[in-house]
């Protein structure tokens, strides 16, 4: 207790600035949720898709580990269409080594997203067993989920989005769902073995081999707007994936949000988790990249992580790229869930433990006090709820004059509150509700 108080005393004199709320403005076109079933039904009713789903076929439908908008609904819609054609669909968790690299853990992740046998109306067959389906162009054996490999057909349910650790014409999307997701831990390990510097080659190479040697029928990818709402759904035949995915990725990139201020002294992230990003917090937003194969996001000298999301089930991967965290986070960490993911992707930095402070306030104070060459009387602090939802952010009052009447921020940032003191309780923590910090 005395040691903890001693550490707290070191940072206790660091004054935190008042914060004001700002609305970030992005294009917000989206699909009406109630229309999604008809959209998917109409897409798949085109002969080039419908004719591939025949009565009696056992069809594997992939579902990944990301927090994709409307993922349970879109998965159910694909299931319903297959059943309408007389096929026998089942769902396969396609998430590499996530869920602690166990069949039970991967099924649990799907349950957290509402993808259950009861809701979708078909079996969920979760297994880590894989089968070699052929070789890629470089002569490397390619493995995918055994149940999917032995099905009569595979339909890819996925989202297209920029990746968090590498750049290329195929990042997070259809190719990666096959190469990494369907590969399970074994296949993902082989694909990652050459490092992220080669992922831009390996993902399409493995993906093309799966298209050529496994019964992939087509994909039903989605794209989301800056508010993580479904704004586009498509259907892509297996033989068209290679040619069509790069343009879809560029479209997805054009819709990506960002923090409109370019830099800060301290970035405060209320929560990280696998439901927000494979990296816990999306470095395309936070700048916390795990490799030098990608760049972007806000330029922050220090990053404070205050909490884990309930949906991440203790998987705090990405925490290692923060500067400091809280005792609350430390107590929630499930290392057996974190480590398989890090070992499989061959990047260990994300599971390191940063400096641990007792409270939210001390964590932020620690980050601010250790910043170099800044004006601590006018500290520039940005606070976000998570990397997925940045429609509203909190900025320290040092940004007020910068934003007011500045044409550069017109149509991008709108000030919606006056600067206020942080609302820490007597223990130095921010308010919480249902396991999440109140933003």
């Amino acid at each position: 207790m005395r040691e903890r108080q001693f550490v707290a005393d070191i940072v206790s004199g660091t004054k935190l600035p008042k914060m004001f709320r700002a609305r970030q403005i992005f294009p917000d076109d989206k699909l009406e949720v109630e229309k999604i079933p008809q959209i998917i039904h109409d897409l798949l009713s085109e002969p080039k898709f419908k004719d591939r789903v025949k009565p009696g076929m056992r069809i594997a439908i992939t579902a990944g580990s990301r927090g994709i908008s409307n993922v349970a609904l879109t998965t159910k819609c694909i299931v319903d269409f297959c059943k309408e054609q007389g096929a026998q669909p089942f769902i396969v968790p396609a998430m590499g080594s996530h869920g602690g690299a166990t069949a039970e853990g991967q099924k649990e992740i799907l349950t957290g997203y509402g993808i259950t046998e009861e809701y979708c109306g078909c079996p969920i067959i979760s297994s880590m067993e894989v089968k070699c389906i052929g070789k890629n162009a470089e002569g490397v054996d390619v493995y995918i989920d055994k149940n999917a490999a032995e099905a009569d057909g595979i339909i890819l349910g996925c989202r297209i989005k920029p990746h968090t650790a590498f750049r290329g014409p195929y990042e997070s999307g259809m190719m990666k769902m096959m190469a990494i997701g369907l590969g399970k831990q074994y296949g993902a390990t082989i694909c990652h073995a050459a490092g992220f510097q080669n992922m831009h080659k390996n993902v399409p190479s493995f993906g093309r081999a799966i298209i050529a040697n496994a019964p992939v029928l087509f994909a039903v990818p989605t794209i989301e707007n800056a508010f993580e709402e479904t704004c586009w759904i498509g259907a892509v035949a297996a033989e068209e994936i290679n040619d069509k995915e790069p343009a879809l990725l560029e479209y997805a990139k054009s819709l990506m949000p960002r923090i409109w201020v370019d830099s800060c002294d301290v970035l405060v992230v209320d929560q990280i988790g696998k439901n927000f990003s494979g990296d816990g917090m999306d470095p395309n937003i936070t700048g916390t990249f795990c490799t030098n194969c990608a760049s972007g996001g806000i330029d922050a000298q220090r990053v404070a992580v205050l909490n884990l999301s309930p949906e991440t089930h203790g998987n705090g991967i990405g925490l290692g790229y923060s500067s400091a965290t809280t005792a609350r986070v430390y107590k929630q960490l499930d290392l057996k869930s974190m480590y398989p993911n890090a070992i499989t992707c061959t990047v260990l930095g994300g599971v390191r433990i940063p400096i641990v402070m007792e409270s939210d306030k001390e964590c932020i104070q620690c980050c601010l006090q250790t910043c170099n060459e800044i004006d601590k009387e006018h500290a520039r602090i940005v606070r976000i709820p998570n990397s997925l939802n940045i429609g509203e952010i909190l900025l320290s009052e040092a940004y007020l004059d910068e934003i007011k009447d500045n044409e550069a921020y017109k149509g991008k940032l709108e000030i919606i509150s006056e600067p206020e003191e942080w609302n820490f309780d007597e223990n130095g923590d921010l308010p919480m509700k249902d396991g999440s910090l109140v933003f």
Side-chain angles (χ1 to χ4, degrees):
M1 185 66 180
R2 286 197 303 271
E3 291 176 353
R4 276 196 308 222
Q5 187 58 51
F6 175 72
V7 174
D9 288 345
I10 294 176
V11 301
S12 63
T14 300
K15 180 175 173 53
L16 298 181
K18 292 181 179 180
M19 306 288 287
F20 66 91
R21 191 173 294 266
R23 179 178 293 117
Q24 298 216 115
I25 302 169
F26 306 106
D28 60 356
D29 292 343
K30 63 180 179 180
L31 299 177
E32 295 179 33
V33 175
E34 60 270 20
K35 293 183 178 180
I36 287 177
Q38 191 63 52
I39 290 170
I40 292 178
H41 190 273
D42 290 347
L43 284 169
L44 301 187
S45 293
E46 294 182 25
K48 73 174 178 179
F49 303 113
K50 182 177 181 179
D51 292 350
R52 300 179 190 213
V53 183
K54 303 183 185 303
M57 289 178 66
R58 292 186 70 253
I59 295 180
I61 300 168
T62 67
S65 58
R66 300 292 185 260
I68 301 172
S69 180
N70 301 306
V71 67
L73 176 60
T74 56
T75 304
K76 182 182 187 306
C77 290
I78 301 170
V79 169
D80 289 345
F81 182 83
C82 291
K83 291 166 71 174
E84 184 181 299
Q85 308 312 307
Q88 301 170 26
F90 63 95
I91 295 168
V92 170
M95 52 185 78
S97 63
H98 298 175
T102 68
E104 298 77 13
Q106 296 200 344
K107 191 171 183 179
E108 183 180 0
I109 288 175
L110 295 189
T111 298
Y113 295 146
I115 301 175
T116 64
E117 294 182 348
E118 293 74 21
Y119 175 74
C120 293
C122 75
I124 297 175
I125 303 179
S126 185
S127 169
M128 299 306 292
E129 190 174 1
V130 292
K131 181 176 182 178
C132 181
I133 51 90
K135 297 180 182 292
N136 65 9
E138 290 72 38
V140 179
D141 288 339
V142 177
Y143 290 80
I144 67 169
D145 179 278
K146 185 175 186 290
N147 293 294
E150 294 178 352
D152 299 311
I154 300 170
I155 298 174
L156 307 172
C158 61
R159 175 182 61 190
I160 297 174
K161 188 176 183 179
H163 198 270
T164 59
F166 72 93
R167 293 287 179 258
Y170 310 90
E171 294 182 21
S172 288
M174 296 176 281
M175 286 290 193
K176 183 173 176 284
M177 174 57 81
M178 292 184 286
I180 306 296
L182 271 176
K184 312 299 280 195
Q185 184 186 21
Y186 190 88
T189 298
I190 293 175
C191 194
H192 279 99
F196 275 105
Q197 65 271 25
N198 290 297
M199 287 291 280
H200 68 288
K201 296 183 295 184
N202 283 341
V203 163
S205 177
F206 280 73
R208 289 172 189 136
I210 292 168
I211 292 171
N213 296 289
V216 180
L217 304 178
F218 52 83
V220 183
T222 67
I223 293 176
E224 296 172 355
N225 64 21
F227 300 97
E228 304 300 328
E229 300 164 322
T230 308
C231 67
W232 180 87
I233 300 174
V236 183
E239 67 275 12
E240 297 176 330
I241 291 174
N242 186 71
D243 293 333
K244 288 191 173 183
E245 183 163 341
L248 292 173
L249 175 61
E250 289 305 309
Y251 176 47
K253 284 181 178 179
S254 74
L255 300 174
M256 276 287 291
R258 54 161 292 182
I259 298 171
W260 283 119
V261 296
D262 291 329
S263 63
C264 63
D265 302 325
V266 179
L267 173 65
V268 179
V269 183
D270 278 12
Q271 293 190 127
I272 66 171
K274 296 292 286 187
N275 54 310
F276 303 130
S277 169
D279 285 42
M281 49 183 166
D282 188 342
N284 292 299
I285 305 298
T286 61
T288 51
F289 288 91
C290 64
T291 73
N292 59 5
C293 303
S295 60
I298 192 170
D299 181 12
Q301 189 173 150
R302 295 283 186 267
V303 178
V305 168
L306 306 183
N307 195 27
L308 299 186
S309 68
E311 296 87 351
T312 203
H313 303 292
N315 189 336
I317 196 164
L319 182 64
Y321 301 112
S322 67
S323 312
T325 191
T326 63
R328 179 199 301 118
V329 169
Y330 183 75
K331 292 170 185 175
Q332 293 180 73
L333 294 177
D334 179 8
L335 301 184
K336 68 179 183 298
S337 178
M338 296 166 63
Y339 289 174
N341 198 178
I343 293 168
T344 299
C345 75
T346 73
V347 178
L348 305 182
V351 295
R352 292 176 181 148
I353 309 299
I355 190 169
V356 177
M357 302 299 289
E358 192 64 23
S359 68
D360 296 330
K361 183 178 182 180
E362 291 169 16
C363 177
I364 301 165
Q365 287 176 313
C366 174
C367 286
L368 181 56
Q369 182 165 321
T370 57
C371 283
N372 302 127
E373 299 184 307
I374 68 166
D375 182 355
K376 292 185 180 177
E377 293 300 313
H378 302 90
R380 293 159 60 87
I381 297 180
V382 176
R383 179 184 168 196
I384 62 175
N386 55 67
S387 65
L388 201 60
N389 304 291
I390 56 171
E392 288 190 8
I393 62 175
L394 292 170
L395 298 169
S396 60
E397 54 188 338
Y399 286 101
L400 266 177
D401 289 339
E402 178 181 328
I403 293 172
K404 280 182 178 177
D405 303 318
N406 189 333
E407 285 295 316
Y409 292 107
K410 188 175 182 180
K412 295 179 178 179
L413 272 176
E414 177 185 352
I415 298 169
I416 57 175
S417 80
E418 293 297 318
E420 296 178 353
E421 299 287 355
W422 295 74
N423 56 336
F424 299 114
D425 64 17
E426 65 275 10
N427 297 316
D429 289 321
L430 294 164
M432 293 190 70
K433 182 180 180 180
D434 299 328
S436 298
L437 289 171
V438 177
F439 187 77

